[in-house]
């Protein structure tokens, strides 16, 4: 009996040492992302269920207030990947940096404008404070776009109040401190569930639009192509699990969205399961955001969309074809 116990103990120790060795050989990968984002749930699932570890990667997900913060750290070399919308990516390119989109998470415009309970129609926003996460963030652009479509001057008829994050914007409209905010799913679904008005849901238009993407830098991808391949392969494995098993995905969705309502998260899972199937980055989705920026801010934006979108890693995963190049 003693020999058997000792044998088992030696075996357990050997397994532990072997696992430790594998862990020590794993490549460290840091990923920056916003603090509130259900689109980060598949990646969180991949970390929690060991998919990235199986690929030889030690992935650390780092929450940040806004996706713009994640892109700043990415181009500074402080993290290897980020999950972000198109606007901070474009801003970084305009500043001379080299971010590239290697996998799409959401390539349709799923932004919505949600109001506080006091707001019944868009015109009620006049003279009120409207919450945005930050200047030149994607939600500010979408808010300005919507206000102008309603004939409301975003610089004269409302006050754009910076709240610092999606979560803080949400708190502001729930409390009534601000009259409206802009965000992607699941916030519009959650708003309807608790009786807040959705003044405009751009998802109804099915507009190609880069709302969320896995991003790295050109220099990192060129120096570490195998790491990028492994990372995206594990991410796609996590996406497949997210699509097929809601019960498995649920705790990760709660963790990343900061929402507990199961039915809200079930609908969110359904929508993201569809969106993440279109994972090859589409230059047209990024091109439409640039057009939007030009229209909203009236600036000339001279960037090469096709240089920012790098589909080769994603197309190699399952042999999918790349999208056509973007022509303005």
């Amino acid at each position: 009996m003693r020999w058997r116990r000792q044998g088992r103990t030696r075996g357990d120790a050997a397994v532990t040492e072997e696992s430790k060795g594998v862990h020590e050989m794993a490549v460290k990968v840091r990923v920056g992302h916003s603090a509130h984002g259900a689109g980060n749930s598949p990646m969180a699932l991949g970390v929690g269920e060991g998919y990235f570890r199986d690929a030889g990667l030690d992935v650390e997900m780092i929450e940040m207030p806004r996706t713009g913060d994640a892109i700043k750290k990415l181009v500074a070399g402080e993290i290897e990947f980020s999950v972000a919308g198109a606007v901070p990516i474009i801003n970084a390119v305009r500043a001379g940096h080299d971010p590239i989109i290697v996998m799409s998470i959401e390539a349709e415009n799923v932004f919505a404008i949600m109001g506080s309970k006091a707001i019944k129609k868009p015109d009620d926003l006049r003279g009120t404070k409207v919450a945005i996460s930050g200047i030149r963030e994607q939600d500010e652009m979408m808010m300005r776009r919507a206000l102008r479509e309603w004939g409301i001057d975003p610089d004269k008829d409302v006050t754009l109040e910076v709240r610092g994050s999606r979560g803080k914007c949400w708190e502001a409209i729930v409390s009534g401190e601000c009259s409206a905010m802009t965000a992607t799913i699941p916030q519009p679904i959650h708003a309807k569930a608790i009786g807040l008005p959705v003044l405009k849901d751009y998802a109804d238009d099915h507009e190609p639009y880069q709302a969320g993407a896995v991003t790295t830098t050109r220099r990192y991808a060129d120096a570490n192509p195998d790491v990028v391949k492994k990372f995206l392969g594990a991410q796609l494995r996590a996406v497949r699990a997210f699509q097929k098993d809601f019960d498995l995905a649920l705790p990760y969705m709660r963790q990343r969205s900061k929402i507990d309502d199961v039915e809200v998260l079930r609908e969110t899972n359904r929508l993201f399961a569809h969106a993440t199937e279109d994972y090859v980055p589409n230059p047209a989705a990024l091109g439409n955001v640039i057009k939007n920026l030009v229209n909203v801010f009236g600036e000339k934006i001279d960037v090469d969309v096709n240089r920012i979108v790098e589909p080769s890693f994603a197309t190699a995963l399952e042999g999918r074809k790349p999208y056509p190049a973007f022509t303005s």
Side-chain angles (χ1 to χ4, degrees):
M1 182 66 71
R2 179 179 298 175
W3 178 85
R4 291 181 64 189
R5 283 202 190 100
Q6 289 174 343
R8 188 162 55 248
T9 301
R10 286 197 298 269
D12 291 346
V15 170
T16 301
E17 288 302 315
E18 182 181 353
S19 299
K20 182 180 178 182
V22 170
H23 182 73
E24 288 175 348
M25 291 188 293
V27 177
K28 181 69 176 181
V29 173
R30 299 160 297 180
V31 185
H33 58 90
S34 64
H36 291 74
N40 298 312
S41 303
M43 188 180 294
L45 185 156
V47 173
E49 299 302 315
Y51 298 166
F52 290 100
R53 185 176 61 247
D54 291 346
L57 304 176
D58 176 17
V59 171
E60 178 186 7
M61 296 182 68
I62 305 170
E63 286 192 353
M64 299 178 186
R66 298 163 296 206
T67 60
D69 299 318
I71 291 296
K72 287 178 182 177
K73 288 191 175 294
L74 176 73
V75 299
E78 297 176 27
I79 57 178
E80 288 70 44
F81 292 89
S82 68
V83 179
V87 171
I89 297 171
I90 295 165
N91 290 341
V93 173
R94 295 180 74 191
H97 301 295
D98 64 338
I100 54 173
I101 295 172
V102 291
M103 176 178 272
S104 181
I105 293 176
E106 177 58 75
E108 279 196 2
N109 190 345
V110 291
F111 280 90
I113 314 298
M114 295 146 285
S116 67
K117 287 188 177 180
I119 302 300
K120 306 301 180 185
K121 58 186 185 299
D123 208 53
D124 293 340
L125 298 175
R126 295 179 185 274
T128 68
K129 293 187 296 183
V130 171
I132 59 173
S133 67
I135 301 298
R136 291 299 179 127
E137 289 284 334
Q138 197 142 338
D139 67 321
E140 184 209 5
M141 181 184 71
M142 290 305 303
M143 179 61 77
R144 285 179 173 274
R145 171 179 169 178
L147 290 169
R148 288 182 177 178
E149 289 172 354
W150 293 324
I152 299 172
D153 189 325
D155 295 309
K156 296 179 180 179
D157 297 333
V158 300
T159 299
L160 298 179
E161 183 167 293
V162 176
R163 286 283 171 152
S165 70
R166 179 190 294 199
K168 295 295 184 181
C169 290
W170 177 258
E171 291 172 4
I173 67 165
V174 171
S175 67
E177 294 178 34
C178 289
S179 61
M181 68 171 288
T182 310
T184 58
I185 55 176
Q187 258 63 40
I189 306 169
H190 195 196
K192 293 175 183 177
I194 65 173
L196 296 181
V198 177
L199 304 172
K200 170 68 178 180
D201 192 345
Y202 284 97
D204 295 336
D205 300 336
H206 300 289
E207 174 188 10
Y209 206 83
Q210 197 66 68
V214 178
T215 310
T216 187
T217 60
R218 176 71 63 181
R219 63 186 182 278
Y220 183 83
D222 288 347
N224 304 276
D226 289 341
V227 175
V228 178
K229 291 175 185 176
K230 290 176 180 179
F231 183 82
L232 296 185
Q235 171 72 3
L236 184 57
R237 182 184 172 193
V239 164
R240 295 293 181 233
F242 177 88
Q243 292 170 326
K244 295 175 182 177
D245 192 337
F246 173 70
D247 290 333
L248 177 65
L250 181 58
Y252 299 105
M253 297 184 71
R254 281 184 169 136
Q255 180 188 73
R256 295 303 165 186
S257 69
K258 313 299 191 290
I259 294 173
D260 289 325
D261 190 310
V262 174
E263 293 311 309
V264 169
L265 294 176
R266 191 182 302 278
E267 177 64 6
T268 301
N269 177 266
R270 184 187 71 81
L271 292 171
F272 269 124
H274 173 71
T276 51
E277 185 60 32
D278 189 20
Y279 61 81
V280 175
N282 183 356
L286 184 62
N288 279 345
V289 178
I290 292 177
K291 290 178 180 178
N292 201 169
L293 278 168
V294 171
N295 291 335
V296 167
F297 293 109
E299 300 175 359
K300 181 180 179 181
I301 299 179
D302 186 17
V303 300
D304 185 350
V305 170
N306 301 300
R307 176 70 179 163
I308 303 170
V309 175
E310 179 50 73
S312 62
F313 293 102
T315 56
L317 295 173
E318 295 177 331
R320 295 192 177 185
K321 294 181 179 180
Y323 282 95
F326 176 73
T327 55
S328 58

